[in-house]
Amino acid sequence: MKLYNTLTRQKGEFTPLKDDTVRIYSCGPTVYGYAHIGNMRTYVFMDFLRRTLQWNGYKLLHAMNITDVGHLVSDGDDGEDKMNKTAREQKKTPWEIAEYYTSVFLRDIERLNIQRPELVPKATMHIQEMIEFVQGLLKTGYAYETSDGIYYDIKKFKDYGRLSRMNFDENQAGARVEVNSEKRHPADFALWKKADPTHIMQWESPWGMGYPGWHIECSAMGLKYLGEEFDIHTGGVDHIPIHHENEIAQTCGLLGHPAAKWWIHGEFMLVDGGKMSKSLGNTYTLDQLQEKGYSPMVFRYFCLNAHYSQKLNFTFEGMDSAKKSLRNLKNQIKKHKGADGQVDEEVLATFISEFEEAINDDLNIPKALGVVWNMARYETKSNKLYDLIIRCDSILGIDLDKEDEEEPENTVDSDLDREIKEQIALRLEAKKAKNYAEADRIRNELAARGIILTDTKEGTTYTIK
Ligand code: AMP
Ligand code: ZN
């Protein structure tokens, strides 16, 4: 099977490093809010990769982390920790926030038939491993201490910028004004931050109380669970220039070689041709799609239509046609179920080899879906074709063996409902205390998530856009 490697910018034949178990690391979600459908596209791509490897007879050892500390509001070293910020805003502990959004995430990937990776480690459970990693980098000379933390010295690592093909010396001229003058290079990044007493999440370390940088968690957990060398690392394309560049630098600094051989990145999902962002209110969740009448399987079908390396533009027209197509496909397939028409073995073999060729050509799922459509439309109706289609669905994962469901019910998740009601109550309290700025903040933040509040005589109600 062929895959495209971002590191070499080449498509090549994949073979596992050792035995027939493929070791994979995927950057998991930062659990400070609901994962949106863009995030989900990346995990659907990760799932196609898993399923295609399984189709080819490989076993999998796959780790996907849960980022519950360290990811700052920017992907670099600026701003507050995302967990800290949400905890402060929602008046909860970061651990409560993490637990809630992790469970919603895991439930959502299950609804999308995304196989759960064998290992789902949490960053906060691996602080010791991260500290040891940072100590190692200090020993090998790739890290240095400043008054506010431990930083990676990118000038020591000659391959820095290889993954993203960026020259950091050229970029230096245009770099933002540095807040931290102790850094040796503007692109040096934090491995460990010393915490001030107000920071909620902090741990003891050889450098006093503090918390890890974001990038170190993936290097430390990858090493712990997959070893010094593993086969594949995945993530979204936004991770190429910062997060993954830094992961490579960290591992090379400690071990003298990169950990992952293949780096595979999923392209972004756009909405109406533009960026998805909370401030534009277009970061839909699976629940919101469901409320609008699109089941998770319709969304998955929608994702099948673009190669993972291509941008995918989300529109509701696109979802409507995905919904229709999925229904039509199932109707066609139903005609084959139990049918006794005779189809040549040669025809069946051609179909399956076309399908396999597509998935093994760098996960060409849109082409593979086309082959399934050709099977479904085949004039002679035969249960042998039905069986073949269901076999192909072990890759597509769109429940082709299940009867089409009725229009999904308006199922506002009860947890979401509870959370919104809590926010409404907090807003009411703020209004009573004449803290109108806080009341507006709550309203605006909900609006940014598509949750619109309406004040009526009977109280405040909400609708989800
Ligand atoms: P985060 O929770 O921000 O760490 O993101 C989780 C995953 O979603 C990462 O692999 C990101 O690269 C990916 N991601 C974020 N936004 C999008 C998007 N609009 N389309 C596709 N993937 C995305
Ligand atoms: Zn990562």
Side-chain angles (χ1 to χ4, degrees), residues 25-28 65 67 214-215 217-218 233-234 239 243-244 247:
Y25 189 93
S26 296
C27 290
N65 63 295
T67 298
W214 170 36
H215 320 293
E217 67 175 83
C218 292
H233 198 309
T234 77
H239 286 344
H243 184 52
H244 289 169
E247 273 191 50

Side-chain angles (χ1 to χ4, degrees), residues 92 108 127 135 161 193 202 209 224 381 417 458:
K92 299 213 169 92
D108 279 357
I127 301 294
Q135 283 178 310
K193 289 268 228 173
Q202 46 180 297
M209 296 302 286
K224 173 165 181 176
K381 304 302 171 196
D417 181 57
E458 288 74 37

Side-chain angles (χ1 to χ4, degrees), residues 150-167:
I150 312 294
Y151 286 84
Y152 188 95
D153 189 349
I154 66 154
K155 295 304 285 177
K156 286 262 160 67
F157 179 47
K158 66 172 177 21
D159 270 350
Y160 196 77
R162 182 175 164 212
L163 186 71
S164 54
R165 303 283 201 271
M166 289 213 311
N167 180 333

Side-chain angles (χ1 to χ4, degrees), residues 188-204:
D188 286 356
F189 56 91
L191 297 163
W192 185 265
K193 289 268 228 173
K194 297 177 187 175
D196 67 59
T198 61
H199 199 90
I200 311 175
M201 301 178 103
Q202 46 180 297
W203 292 264
E204 267 176 39

Side-chain angles (χ1 to χ4, degrees), residues 119-131:
L119 302 160
V120 186
K122 292 180 180 168
T124 49
M125 301 296 283
H126 298 81
I127 301 294
Q128 191 50 36
E129 285 83 350
M130 294 188 233
I131 290 176

Side-chain angles (χ1 to χ4, degrees), residues 300-411:
R300 186 166 169 122
Y301 184 91
F302 178 79
C303 291
L304 296 178
N305 286 289
H307 189 257
Y308 76 85
S309 65
Q310 301 294 318
K311 291 191 173 62
L312 173 58
N313 188 27
F314 177 90
T315 59
F316 283 104
E317 293 77 51
M319 286 294 283
D320 286 335
S321 74
K323 191 172 178 177
K324 261 193 222 130
S325 299
L326 180 57
R327 190 174 300 147
N328 287 344
L329 180 60
K330 284 189 164 186
N331 285 338
Q332 296 288 345
I333 292 169
K334 228 191 306 180
K335 295 181 194 161
H336 288 286
K337 193 174 181 180
D340 55 7
Q342 292 303 307
V343 178
D344 276 357
E345 287 302 321
E346 212 177 302
V347 172
L348 298 173
T350 307
F351 275 137
I352 206 71
S353 78
E354 281 174 3
F355 181 84
E356 195 163 274
E357 210 176 289
I359 57 171
N360 282 343
D361 182 15
D362 192 25
L363 317 179
N364 194 339
I365 303 292
K367 194 165 172 194
L369 178 63
V371 179
V372 169
W373 264 105
N374 290 342
M375 291 187 218
R377 285 203 204 98
Y378 198 72
E379 227 168 80
T380 311
K381 304 302 171 196
S382 150
N383 199 57
K384 282 190 176 164
L385 268 171
Y386 177 80
D387 287 344
L388 216 55
I389 290 169
I390 299 310
R391 211 179 127 203
C392 294
D393 194 39
S394 68
I395 297 286
L396 305 181
I398 44 176
D399 291 347
L400 291 177
D401 58 339
K402 293 201 182 130
E403 288 289 313
D404 212 2
E405 291 160 25
E406 291 305 303
E407 295 291 290
E409 298 280 312
N410 187 335
T411 51

Side-chain angles (χ1 to χ4, degrees), residues 236-259:
V237 286
D238 57 325
H239 286 344
I240 299 172
I242 302 179
H243 184 52
H244 289 169
E245 201 73 81
N246 293 351
E247 273 191 50
I248 292 175
Q250 290 168 159
T251 319
C252 288
L254 186 73
L255 306 172
H257 60 79

